[in-house]
Each structure stands twice: as C-alpha cells, then as structure tokens.
C-alpha cells in the first residue's frame, strides 16, 4: 500500500510572479564595493551579497539588465533566478487538539524515533545539545509553540523570502516547524521532546508554502553559516529538509548555473558548519541516475540522509514492531550520496485498524495503526494554538534526526572540525545492510548514545 504523504518534490517548476521585476544570482571572484557599484550602475538593487563566495542576489526592473551588468566586467556570470516547488503539499495526520492538555501532555511513548537511535542513553550520559546552534533552512517556524519558544533564537532568525517573516507560512502543518521540533523540542513536560532538546534553533526561512527561489536558499546557507562576528547566524549545523531533482546541467529548466551557485554556497558553509540535507523521497537510485541530479542532497561538501521507518510499531503496544531501521519505502539511496540513515517514518502498514498508545501521565492516543509508524513532532495548528502536533514521514524527518545527533557530538567535542564531525557521525552509526558503505544506510544507521560515548 502506498500512501501519498511524501515530502520532497522532483522537477516541479513554477513561473515567477508576473511582474517587470526580475531576480538574479550573480557571481564574481569576490564581492566587493566594486561589484555593488556595478550592480547599481546597471540598474539593479542588491538584496544580499557574500564577500568570500562572490555571490550576490539582485533585483532589477531594467529589461536588458544582464547585458548591462556583464558589460561592467565585474562578474563571471549573471543568471536569472527561478522559483521551484521544493516540497509538495503533503498528507499529514494531526493530533486531535482535545488530546493536548496540561494534565495529559507527554507523547514520549509515540516517539519511537528516540528509541531507534538511543537518544535517552545520550541524554543520560549528559548530552542534550546544549550550546550548539542548529539552523533550520525551511519554511516558517512557529516560534511561540510551547515546545519551541525557549529554543528558537529570535535575534538571529531571519527570512529571505520577500514580504514574510521567518515565523510566517501557510496552512496548519508548517514543514519547518515539524523539522525544528525533531531537533530541539524542549524537555519541558509538554507534548514532544527533540533529540537534542537543549540545542538552539535558528529559523532561516527560505521557502514559503513549499516553494522557493534558488537565491533565497543560497542566501540562507551563506547567512546561517557565516560566523556571528561577521554578521551571520553562527550556526554549527545547517539542516535542509528540502530538495528537487533536475536534469544534469539544468536541462531545459535553465537551472544549471543556479545549481552550480548552490554548490559554491554549500562548500563555503562546510568551512564553518555541517550541512545536512534530506536524500529525497522518490526511491531513486542516485548511483545510477546519471541524467538527473537531486539537490541539495548532491550539492558540494554537504551530507545526505536516507530514511528508515517501522511497520506496526503500535500494533499490540508495548510489544509492537521494533524494526526501526527498516528501509523506508520511498527513500532515495546510493553509496555515492548517502552518508548515514536516520528515522524518517513510513506509512506502509496495510489497513486502517485502530491502535492506542498511552500518554503520560494518563490517557491514550487512538489513531489508525499506520499513523504511529510516522514521526510525531510540533506543528503550527490554527489560530492562537501553541500546542499542536502532527505526524509526518519522509527523508525530511530523517535529516533533522541526523542533525540532532551531530549537535550532541558537537556538545561532547566543542572544537571538533567539520570533517571529524562527519566521520564521528558515520563511525558511531550501526553498520547495517552490506558491511561498510551500503546504498541504503550509507555508513550506518545513526546511534546517539555511541556518538557521544565512544
């Protein structure tokens, strides 16, 4: 049975809003005052620039702006930006509001992903992600949610989507809010708890209603990974639970140079932060998909995370399935791309038979059994709600689990290099599938306890 809840998109192109204004991603060897002047003289407005990568994001109403700016000889390329749908609308399952109250508030029993990676063992060893900064590059984050309000750093959170703040989006799910809760929902006795519940979340809005321009994402990467002293967010880890698949070279989408600029941004970020991306939900063999490229999973020096999920976790609970490392039905895979695997959930259990799981301190949640095989986390809800939760599944849920374990490692080893952090995340993972590097598990299935104790 295949339920239509997948989170990532492939090759879904949307036209920019009809307007005389156009947006551009411009590159130079470095970005200096000379580039800023050249943009202005050609009739452009600079909205973001980054000195070291030489990338600038520019708006212009001038019809021949590209020709004008190239004649200045200050740039190596000028590419018109494009808006793509980076994550489709998804089928999620919301936790009934009536189940959420403060005499009956803890849903830890439904959070099988914690057991899957032995997060309680890491917490008992004293590692909760305290002091580690994780940027969530995604849609809006509901920063007043009871599980996130003490975790989101408002001063450095930022939106690169024109006209919207970082804490705005559409609908009642809010993909970025769900992702943020997987990383760092507070251990406050209310609702859910994140895998690194004392880490700091920086909300970096690069999508709105699932769509976003390359320029927004590139700007978010460069901002999030730039040190605080240099005007950036100073993130240690960047989580990108987003992606799209294109013909290699951009094909007829015209995205080739934009993909190249995205690579440059990820490679810059890798100097200061670990860049973690979801692998994608299209069941693609990335080792043998030479005609297409999935980004940012295959971008630069970042790492990609595949997904696992149980089948029947709640059936006969507490004696239900514990096959948490079961390969998810939808995950992209490939030894050349996958770094590690992590809990992302699945929804393949047949039928709609009901299952119940107790909440703490009393009561229970009853939904179709297959729902419990997905990942439960924070969501936006409606109105003034600050206690809304939803289930979802996908590599979008697996990536923040890996980011959270990386945050635990960073707390344990504050001066660890990015290369060493990548290696420890992989070397402490459980070697599943084929010995060594496996197309589905990469270098292994993440293990929070081993990551901070070995």
């Amino acid at each position: 049975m295949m339920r239509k809840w997948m989170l990532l998109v492939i090759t879904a192109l949307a036209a920019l809003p009809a307007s005389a204004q156009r947006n551009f991603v411009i590159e130079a060897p470095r970005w200096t005052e000379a580039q800023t002047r050249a943009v202005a003289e050609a009739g452009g407005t600079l909205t973001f620039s980054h000195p070291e990568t030489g990338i600038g994001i520019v708006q212009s109403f001038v019809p021949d702006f590209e020709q004008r700016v190239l004649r200045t000889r200050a740039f190596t390329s000028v590419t018109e930006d494009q808006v793509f749908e980076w994550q489709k609308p998804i089928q999620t399952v919301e936790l009934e509001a009536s189940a959420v109250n403060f005499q009956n508030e803890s849903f830890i029993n439904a959070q099988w992903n914690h057991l899957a990676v032995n997060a309680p063992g890491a917490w008992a060893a004293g590692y909760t992600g305290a002091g580690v900064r994780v940027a969530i590059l995604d849609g809006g984050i509901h920063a007043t949610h009871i599980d996130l309000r003490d975790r989101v750093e408002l001063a450095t959170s930022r939106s690169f989507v024109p006209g919207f703040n970082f804490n705005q989006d559409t609908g009642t799910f809010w993909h970025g809010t769900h992702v943020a809760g997987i990383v760092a929902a507070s251990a406050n006795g209310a609702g859910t708890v994140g895998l690194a519940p004392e880490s700091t979340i920086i909300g970096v809005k690069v999508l709105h209603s699932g769509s976003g321009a390359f320029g927004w994402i590139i700007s978010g990467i460069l901002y999030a990974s730039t040190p605080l002293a240099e005007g950036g967010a100073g993130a240690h880890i960047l989580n990108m639970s987003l992606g799209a698949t294109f013909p290699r070279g951009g094909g007829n989408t015209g995205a080739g140079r934009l993909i190249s600029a995205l690579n440059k941004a990820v490679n810059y970020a890798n100097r200061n932060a670990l860049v973690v991306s979801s692998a994608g939900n299209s069941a693609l063999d990335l080792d043998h998909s030479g005609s297409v490229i999935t980004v940012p999973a295959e971008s630069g020096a970042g790492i990609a995370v595949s997904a696992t999920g149980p089948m029947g976790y709640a059936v006969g609970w507490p004696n239900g399935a514990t096959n948490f490392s079961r390969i998810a039905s939808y995950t992209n895979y490939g030894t050349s791309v996958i770094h590690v695997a992590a809990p992302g959930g699945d929804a393949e259990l047949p039928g709609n038979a009901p299952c119940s799981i107790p909440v703490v301190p009393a009561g229970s949640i009853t939904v179709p059994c297959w729902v419990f095989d997905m990942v439960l986390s924070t969501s936006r809800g409606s109105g003034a709600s600050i206690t809304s939760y939803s289930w979802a599944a996908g590599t979008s849920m697996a990536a923040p689990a890996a980011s959270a374990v990386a945050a635990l490692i960073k707390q344990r080893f504050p001066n660890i290099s990015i290369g060493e952090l990548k290696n420890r995340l992989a070397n402490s993972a459980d070697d599943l599938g084929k010995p060594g590097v496996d197309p589905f598990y990469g270098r292994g299935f993440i293990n929070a306890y081993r990551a901070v104790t070995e």
Side-chain angles (χ1 to χ4, degrees):
M1 177 180 62
M2 186 68 175
R3 293 189 171 90
K4 295 181 179 179
W5 42 262
M6 293 186 181
L7 303 182
L8 216 61
V9 311
I10 60 170
T11 324
L13 174 63
L16 285 166
S19 171
Q21 177 181 291
R22 293 184 297 157
N23 302 306
F24 299 88
V25 177
I26 301 182
E27 296 181 70
R30 282 186 62 84
W31 197 281
T32 68
E33 286 297 322
Q35 278 69 37
T36 300
R37 285 196 302 272
V39 164
E41 290 168 2
T45 300
L46 184 67
T47 62
F48 179 87
S49 64
H50 191 260
E52 291 187 61
T53 60
I55 294 176
I57 311 300
V58 175
Q59 299 174 341
S60 180
F61 289 89
V62 178
D64 62 343
F65 174 77
E66 301 101 308
Q67 291 74 29
R68 289 189 180 202
V69 81
L70 284 172
R71 283 198 294 269
T72 68
R73 299 184 182 277
F75 306 99
T76 56
S77 69
V78 179
T79 308
E80 187 167 354
D81 202 359
Q82 299 180 46
V83 173
F84 288 84
E85 185 182 80
W86 292 82
Q87 53 189 53
K88 289 181 179 178
I90 59 170
Q91 176 182 324
T92 61
V93 177
E94 296 185 9
L95 188 60
E96 291 293 333
S98 60
V100 185
N101 62 72
F102 296 112
Q103 276 69 51
N104 184 12
E105 62 189 4
S106 179
F107 309 120
I108 189 66
N109 290 331
Q111 292 191 273
W112 59 267
N113 52 327
H114 294 63
L115 301 177
V117 303
N118 196 1
W123 303 336
Y127 300 103
T128 57
V132 182
R133 303 168 63 79
V134 183
I136 306 297
L137 280 73
D138 211 298
I141 293 180
H142 184 33
T144 56
H145 193 289
I146 193 167
D147 280 348
L148 297 176
R149 63 191 183 192
D150 294 329
R151 304 268 58 85
V152 178
E153 186 174 84
L154 300 179
T156 55
S157 293
R158 183 170 171 181
S159 173
F160 290 93
V161 179
F164 296 96
N165 295 324
F166 87 93
N167 57 354
Q168 292 180 301
D169 217 315
T170 60
T172 58
F173 176 63
W174 287 26
H175 188 273
T177 297
H178 199 272
V179 168
I182 293 170
V183 176
S186 294
N188 57 4
T192 60
V193 62
L195 291 163
E198 292 189 323
S199 58
T200 296
I201 290 295
I202 302 160
V204 182
K205 183 176 172 66
V206 297
L207 304 177
H208 187 70
S209 196
S211 295
F214 268 89
W216 305 345
I217 295 169
I218 290 167
S219 301
I221 292 169
L222 295 174
Y223 166 72
S225 59
T226 295
L228 283 165
E230 298 174 21
H236 300 116
I237 298 159
L238 275 59
N239 188 93
M240 290 195 287
S241 288
L242 55 89
T245 297
F246 301 90
R248 284 196 179 272
N252 59 10
T253 67
R257 285 184 175 173
L258 299 174
I259 292 169
S260 177
L262 178 63
N263 284 344
K264 183 185 288 188
V266 171
N267 285 336
Y268 168 81
N270 189 68
R271 303 179 193 180
N272 304 314
L274 177 64
V275 181
V276 181
S277 297
S278 50
N281 297 354
S282 302
L284 283 176
D285 178 356
L286 300 176
D287 286 336
H288 301 93
S289 57
S291 62
V292 298
I293 182 170
T294 297
V295 297
E298 297 183 83
S299 296
I303 67 170
V305 183
S306 61
T308 72
M311 183 182 286
Y313 169 65
V315 177
W317 197 93
N319 300 310
T322 57
N323 53 345
F324 305 133
S325 60
R326 169 187 165 274
I327 297 163
S329 58
Y330 52 82
T331 188
N332 286 356
Y333 59 96
T335 57
S336 61
V337 179
I338 304 303
H339 189 68
V340 290
D346 212 336
E348 290 293 284
L349 186 70
N352 288 295
C355 282
S356 295
I357 286 183
V359 296
V360 178
S364 64
I365 308 168
T366 301
V367 293
C369 297
W370 61 268
V371 173
F372 285 109
D373 292 338
M374 300 196 291
V375 176
L376 181 63
S377 185
T378 49
S379 60
R380 172 60 182 92
S382 59
S385 173
I386 60 170
T387 57
S388 292
Y389 303 87
S390 296
W391 283 273
T395 56
S396 281
M397 283 60 254
S403 292
V405 173
L408 302 179
I409 297 171
K410 179 68 176 175
Q411 181 191 5
R412 172 69 178 83
F413 303 99
N415 298 317
I416 195 170
S417 69
I418 302 304
E420 291 169 340
L421 179 54
K422 289 180 184 178
N423 288 335
R424 177 163 280 272
L425 183 64
N427 294 339
S428 61
D430 299 328
D431 187 3
L432 302 179
K434 292 170 56 179
V437 182
D438 176 270
F440 287 97
Y441 296 102
R443 288 146 186 83
F445 181 69
I446 60 170
N447 186 315
Y449 177 71
R450 290 183 59 196
V452 297
T453 58
E454 293 186 358

